[in-house]
Amino acid sequence: MPNLKKFAVSYTIDYQHRVVVGVAAPELSTAIQLARNAFEEGVIWDDMPDMPLLLDDYEENEDETLEFYAEEIQSFPEPDSSVKQLKGRQFAFYCAQALLSGDMDSALEFAKKALPQFVPSQPEETIWSVKSDNGCDPFEVNAANREDALRDALFAIGWTVAQKGAFECDQCGRIYDDAGQCLSDDCPANMK
């Protein structure tokens, strides 16, 4: 296989950004001035009832010039924010499709990719040493915090911890604080 080099290849093409808004005004010059003021105030794209957004598109110029450029690079850089925004919109669209089709798991995963800044970071798990005064051999559990470590340690020795009045399925061991029956699809109690 030949020794391949990495290149950043870009192209430019001439476009015209065309925006059309609806404006109610007594005359042409007033309509133009109202639109110009909205542009300068940064609200021309707000799609307001008194100034609806009718078109926002990029149109190629008739005498366009397509030019390619390349430069050799050591490694591919992190994608530009424009690419991240484009991917975010695509993931948001996929999320909406998954929601409408009832696939909540996929919808959640696409939403996390569309808006990663809103995904809570997962605390790192650490190893917790568990020792007992009543003859149980010492062992270790992995947990993100002391409370989880205590719960996992109790579970490891056959104990469960549930809120008083919670339902525990005797078939699969799952605990529900807000249900009187097992809700798991893969529980033997529900497989009939």
Side-chain angles (χ1 to χ4, degrees):
M1 179 176 238
N3 188 12
L4 298 178
K5 298 178 181 180
K6 294 183 179 180
F7 295 89
V9 179
S10 60
Y11 74 88
T12 59
I13 192 166
D14 296 330
Y15 281 96
Q16 181 177 6
H17 185 194
R18 184 166 177 237
V19 176
V20 178
V21 293
V23 177
E27 58 187 2
L28 182 92
S29 61
T30 305
I32 291 172
Q33 189 58 49
L34 289 169
R36 182 182 306 277
N37 292 348
F39 176 84
E40 290 171 358
E41 294 169 12
V43 296
I44 198 163
W45 298 276
D46 288 358
D47 196 23
M48 299 173 288
D50 60 334
M51 190 176 288
L53 185 61
L54 305 175
L55 175 83
D56 186 354
D57 198 12
Y58 291 88
E59 300 168 346
E60 292 182 22
N61 291 340
E62 286 184 30
D63 55 344
E64 71 177 58
T65 56
L66 176 62
E67 295 185 33
F68 283 85
Y69 307 92
E71 63 177 296
E72 187 174 343
I73 55 177
Q74 294 298 316
S75 61
F76 295 125
E78 183 76 18
D80 181 72
S81 62
S82 61
V83 174
K84 292 176 184 177
Q85 183 180 23
L86 176 66
K87 287 182 178 181
R89 287 181 180 162
Q90 287 173 334
F91 286 130
F93 179 76
Y94 298 149
C95 174
Q97 283 181 316
L99 281 172
L100 292 174
S101 68
D103 185 355
M104 298 304 161
D105 291 335
S106 293
L108 179 60
E109 290 309 308
F110 285 130
K112 288 178 180 178
K113 290 178 180 180
L115 301 167
Q117 66 274 25
F118 293 106
V119 177
S121 61
Q122 296 295 323
E124 281 204 30
E125 289 192 343
T126 56
I127 299 173
W128 297 80
S129 178
V130 180
K131 297 177 185 169
S132 169
D133 291 337
N134 64 0
C136 183
D137 291 333
F139 61 96
E140 297 176 342
V141 294
N142 290 323
N145 56 52
R146 188 171 193 278
E147 183 177 316
D148 289 350
L150 288 169
R151 184 200 61 233
D152 293 349
L154 287 171
F155 184 76
I157 60 173
W159 288 48
T160 57
V161 178
Q163 198 172 25
K164 186 173 181 176
F167 171 79
E168 180 180 358
C169 179
D170 59 356
Q171 295 289 317
C172 68
R174 290 187 177 92
I175 298 172
Y176 298 92
D177 294 331
D178 56 354
Q181 64 185 25
C182 187
L183 304 176
S184 175
D185 291 336
D186 62 349
C187 176
N190 293 328
M191 294 189 171
K192 294 178 181 162

